[in-house]
Structure formats: structure tokens, C-alpha cells
Amino acid sequence: EENDQIKNSIFFSKYNLTNDKKIILYPGRLTAWKGQIEFLDILQSLDLNNIICYFIGDDKNGKYRLRLEKEIFKRNLNLNCKIYGHISNEDMKLMYKCSDLIISAPLQPEGFCRIISEGLAMKKIVLCYNYGGSKEQISGLNDFYGIEPLSKNQMIDKINIALNMSKNTKENMGETARIHILRNFSKKNMLEKYFKFYQNINL
């Protein structure tokens, strides 16, 4: 436990994390269709005194990263947005753990989007556009997780609700979500389903 506290302290320092603001995590490769720049419009409609957003993901697309950085400064969001490229799996787990809210808002449907399952398995509130693989993963869970695709107003409303949820509500939703993900989207279960699917194909 003491080692965990030390590790978390080092982690907080490494990524300039703060305890006095709500942390919104936007994981995903830095590329145009992932919707980071469009999400800045949503951030501008929130209480910026209380929020910091971390964009984390592969940043090999240097041109897009530069564009995102310019947009952040242009909108005077530099105190509310931090960009980090690829980080280790261990650091990513801690980043999920520290976040108050996880966002997935790509501009087009994704095949699976493991961010959804990872976030829900960590018992976090995840808001995502309700299409593609995201829709499948939240099916059967609380309707709160799903956002009408590309609806900025609905995203803004639900972010405000999520950031003000009681600890008890978040814990109850988190427990249910984790069970749902482990039951339906663990690597073991998905591999078994794929194997059974191919076994049943008539060649």
C-alpha cells in the first residue's frame, strides 16, 4: 500500500495531475477522425475553473498534434488541456484510475474501441457516441453512457451531470459496468466466441 502511494505520488508529478480539478480523460490516437479538436468546442461550454482534460494516445501524426496544440492555444484552453503521446500500459491504468470521466467521441463509428471496455472495467463513467463498437459494448447498461452520435449539446449536458454525480451513484454504476464487461468482453470470452463462431462455419 505504501509503495502504491509513492508510485501514485510520482505519477501525479510526472503528468502534472491535480487534485483540485475534475479530470476528463480523452484516450485515443491523435488523428482527425478521433474528434479531439471537435471536443474542444464542448470543453469551451463547460465550467473551465473546475476541469482539466488529458488527451492521451499515439501521436505519430505530428501534423495533427501540432494542429491540436494550436487550436488549444487559439481557444485559450492551454490551462485546461494537456497532450501526452503514447504512455506505458501501467501509466495508462493509473490514468484511468485518476480520471473522473472518460470520453470517446470519434467522428465516425469504430470497429470496437477498447477504450470503452477498459474504462468501464475500471468502474469509471464513460461517455461515448452510440454507434459502432461502442454501441455494442454499452448495450444492456444504463442509457446514460450513450450519446446521440455527434450531438454536442447532449455531450455537454451529460458531462455536467457525470461530474456532479454522487460517489454512491458512480460506485453502483461502476460495479454493474465492470461485471457486464468481464462477462461479455474479456479477452478470454471474446476469443472463445470467435473460436465457436469459426467452428460453426460450414466450409
Side-chain angles (χ1 to χ4, degrees):
E1 187 176 333
E2 188 176 343
N3 286 338
D4 285 343
Q5 290 175 350
I6 293 170
K7 182 194 282 185
N8 288 343
S9 173
I10 294 169
F11 178 77
F12 261 65
S13 175
K14 180 178 179 181
Y15 292 105
N16 297 312
L17 292 172
T18 175
N19 280 318
D20 62 354
K21 289 189 177 184
K22 299 285 188 179
I23 295 175
I24 296 177
L25 184 62
Y26 197 115
R29 186 160 42 96
L30 298 186
T31 189
W33 71 272
K34 288 285 190 178
Q36 289 95 345
I37 288 176
E38 286 72 16
F39 187 67
L40 298 180
D41 292 337
I42 291 165
L43 281 177
Q44 286 181 300
S45 299
L46 303 173
D47 177 9
L48 295 175
N49 293 316
N50 191 40
I51 288 169
I52 187 161
C53 179
Y54 289 87
F55 295 103
I56 295 181
D58 189 312
D59 61 349
K60 289 177 184 172
N61 186 340
K63 188 175 180 182
Y64 180 75
R65 174 172 178 147
L66 184 60
R67 187 176 152 211
L68 178 58
E69 289 172 347
K70 285 181 177 178
E71 283 292 329
I72 287 169
F73 277 92
K74 180 178 164 185
R75 299 165 192 243
N76 295 315
L77 291 170
N78 46 302
L79 295 179
N80 301 95
C81 296
K82 305 291 180 188
I83 303 173
Y84 291 104
H86 175 77
I87 65 177
S88 70
N89 287 341
E90 187 175 353
D91 279 2
M92 192 65 204
K93 286 178 187 175
L94 289 172
M95 195 63 81
Y96 276 129
K97 188 175 182 180
C98 295
S99 65
D100 295 286
L101 177 63
I102 297 163
I103 301 291
S104 175
L107 305 184
Q108 58 193 40
E110 294 192 75
F112 183 71
C113 188
R114 68 182 185 183
I115 289 163
I116 310 302
S117 284
E118 288 175 349
L120 293 174
M122 293 286 287
K123 304 180 182 179
K124 294 295 179 177
I125 300 296
V126 178
L127 294 180
C128 58
Y129 287 146
N130 199 19
Y131 54 20
S134 299
K135 181 177 181 178
E136 184 179 348
Q137 291 173 77
I138 62 173
S139 178
L141 286 175
N142 194 308
D143 289 341
F144 184 76
Y145 297 110
I147 307 288
E148 183 182 334
L150 309 181
S151 173
K152 292 181 180 179
N153 289 335
Q154 195 178 96
M155 180 69 86
I156 291 165
D157 290 343
K158 288 197 176 185
I159 287 175
N160 284 321
I161 293 169
L163 294 180
N164 289 287
M165 270 184 183
S166 69
K167 183 180 178 182
N168 189 52
T169 298
K170 286 191 286 188
E171 286 178 352
N172 288 338
M173 288 177 68
E175 290 290 343
T176 301
R178 179 172 172 79
I179 291 168
H180 169 79
I181 294 301
L182 292 179
R183 185 174 292 157
N184 297 288
F185 298 104
S186 69
K187 284 184 180 178
K188 182 175 182 291
N189 283 346
M190 287 198 291
L191 285 170
E192 286 177 354
K193 286 177 183 177
Y194 271 116
F195 185 63
K196 286 178 183 176
F197 171 76
Y198 284 114
Q199 278 186 319
N200 291 330
I201 293 176
N202 292 319
L203 298 177

